[in-house]
Every structure is written in structure tokens, then in C-alpha cells.
Amino acid sequence: MAPPPDTANRGDWTRYRRALLIYRAILAAAGYTPPNYPPSTSGLFKKDLREAMRQSDTMQAFADEAKSSLSSWSRAADFAQAMSKFVDTKEFRDFDNEEPARKRGEGVVEGP
């Protein structure tokens, strides 16, 4: 997995760091030696996404940890598994549908 070509692009860099976190967590769960530092989530999950996590039974337990760090690579593996389920939930779809409006500074878009 290669880092983004333009490391000044914060969005690309954040997506890369998220993918790396999940990749390392999966490797640790598969029995590979995890890195010798705790899994950091600092700056990877914005407040709006963490709020959507709180609304989801799948991710509720991880919402606060997603702000700064997960306690272990085992916990990160549980997070990765829960995240894979979370992206198929109504809570995530609602968040994802509202994201473009948030980026434009328009607030929340009400759907049908």
C-alpha cells in the first residue's frame, strides 16, 4: 500500500491512514506480529462520523475510542470487523448522503 502522491492533500492522507489502520488490524488478527505501538485513530474519524457510529448498534462501543486511539491491536481488529458491517447500515448511509453538503458548509440535507 503506497501513500498518496500528494501528502499535502489531507483527505487523501486521512483515507490512506484509515486503510493502513484497518490493514494492520487485520494482519494482527490473522496472527502476524502487530506493530509495537498502539493503534492511533487520532484525526481519522471526524465528529460527524463518530456521532453516526454512536447511533449504530454495530459501532456504538467504538465511537469514543475512534477519537484518539484503540487500546490494542486486538481491539483494532474488532473495530475493523465492526466497521465492515457499519458501512452497510442506515446510520452510515445517512451520514454518507449528508457528507457532500457538510463539505460545502450547507449543513444537513433532509432526504425523502
Side-chain angles (χ1 to χ4, degrees):
M1 179 180 323
D6 179 9
T7 56
N9 183 323
R10 288 189 59 178
D12 286 350
W13 187 248
T14 298
R15 283 184 289 280
Y16 168 75
R17 288 184 52 225
R18 280 185 201 141
L20 199 57
L21 171 74
I22 299 299
Y23 177 75
R24 288 176 175 158
I26 291 168
L27 288 176
Y32 288 88
T33 303
N36 61 356
Y37 50 85
S40 174
T41 56
S42 181
L44 296 184
F45 303 97
K46 291 191 276 183
K47 183 179 179 180
D48 294 339
L49 179 54
R50 291 192 317 269
E51 188 55 41
M53 289 176 181
R54 277 188 193 85
Q55 304 304 315
S56 166
D57 291 340
T58 305
M59 291 300 292
Q60 194 174 44
F62 297 100
D64 290 331
E65 287 178 281
K67 185 175 182 178
S68 58
S69 68
L70 297 161
S71 58
S72 67
W73 285 102
S74 173
R75 183 76 172 154
D78 294 342
F79 175 86
Q81 184 176 20
M83 183 61 86
S84 73
K85 294 175 184 172
F86 174 60
V87 296
D88 290 329
T89 66
K90 178 188 182 313
E91 293 82 8
F92 180 79
R93 284 191 304 276
D94 289 349
F95 164 80
D96 199 37
N97 288 335
E98 295 165 0
E99 182 64 8
R102 277 192 296 275
K103 284 184 178 180
R104 291 190 304 270
E106 297 173 7
V108 175
V109 175
E110 294 296 325

